[in-house]
Amino acid sequence: MFGIDEDSYLEYENLNHFYDWILSLKPKNVRDIGISKMALWKVKNKIKQDKQLNPKTKIVKILLQLYKRTILNDKD
């Protein structure tokens, strides 16, 4: 595939962990990185309804970056 980085998508086994991580977030945790309370609520609502998240949306991209940073910090 062209134009897609190798690390752009999470491995399937980590997807449930990623969703659990999002569901545990509070609005105050993501306010400083540019995610509003309503945007976080919408993403959480999609997860609860078993809908797939679009990795191309701005909010999901930001959450993926934050998740990767969190995972790397936890490994150290």
Side-chain angles (χ1 to χ4, degrees), residues 55-69:
K56 295 181 181 181
T57 61
K58 181 181 176 182
I59 302 301
V60 176
K61 283 181 183 180
I62 293 171
L63 288 170
L64 277 169
Q65 290 172 353
L66 183 62
Y67 177 72
K68 287 178 184 178
R69 275 191 265 146

Side-chain angles (χ1 to χ4, degrees), residues 4 33 35 53 70 72 76:
I4 298 176
I33 59 170
I35 298 176
L53 298 179
T70 305
L72 288 177
D76 290 340

Side-chain angles (χ1 to χ4, degrees), residues 2-76:
F2 296 105
I4 298 176
D5 293 335
E6 212 172 275
D7 61 345
S8 293
Y9 298 96
L10 289 174
E11 298 291 325
Y12 182 75
E13 62 218 31
N14 293 334
L15 192 57
N16 288 333
H17 187 263
F18 176 61
Y19 285 170
D20 291 340
W21 177 79
I22 290 175
L23 292 172
S24 72
L25 290 175
K26 305 276 188 237
K28 65 180 180 180
N29 300 119
V30 294
R31 186 181 315 136
D32 59 337
I33 59 170
I35 298 176
S36 69
K37 180 180 178 179
M38 185 55 71
L40 181 63
W41 180 83
K42 286 180 181 180
V43 170
K44 285 182 173 187
N45 199 28
K46 281 186 178 183
I47 292 170
K48 290 175 186 175
Q49 294 177 356
D50 290 329
K51 292 185 179 178
Q52 195 169 13
L53 298 179
N54 183 354
K56 295 181 181 181
T57 61
K58 181 181 176 182
I59 302 301
V60 176
K61 283 181 183 180
I62 293 171
L63 288 170
L64 277 169
Q65 290 172 353
L66 183 62
Y67 177 72
K68 287 178 184 178
R69 275 191 265 146
T70 305
I71 294 303
L72 288 177
N73 288 340
D74 287 347
K75 287 182 180 179
D76 290 340

